[in-house]
Amino acid sequence: MQVTLLTTDEVADLIELHENAGRLVVIQDSANEVIYNLEDGDASEKVLINTACGSYLIEA
C-alpha cells in the first residue's frame, strides 16, 4: 500500500481525468471530506481522500 500527499492541482487533475473517462465513483461526500474510488481498469485499487486538511491518494 502506498499513501501520497497531493497538491490541490494534482487532486483537480486526477478528478478531471477520471471523471472525463467515466471512471470516478464518489464513495462518501460529507461536509468535511469527499472520498473517491478511481478506476483505472487494472487490478490495482486507488482511493482519493480529499479533506480540508489535505488530500491523499491511497494505492493498493
Side-chain angles (χ1 to χ4, degrees):
M1 180 184 306
Q2 180 179 351
V3 178
T4 307
L5 180 62
L6 301 175
T7 65
T8 303
D9 290 339
E10 291 171 324
V11 170
D13 289 345
L14 272 175
I15 290 172
E16 182 179 5
L17 175 73
H18 286 82
E19 191 171 48
N20 289 341
R23 295 180 176 204
L24 180 71
V25 178
V26 176
I27 298 173
Q28 178 181 347
D29 187 359
S30 68
N32 298 320
E33 67 185 7
V34 181
I35 301 174
Y36 301 96
N37 182 24
L38 307 176
E39 300 173 351
D40 283 333
D42 57 8
S44 67
E45 184 174 346
K46 295 179 183 174
V47 175
L48 173 63
I49 301 173
N50 192 15
T51 71
C53 298
S55 298
Y56 309 90
L57 179 63
I58 302 171
E59 299 178 77

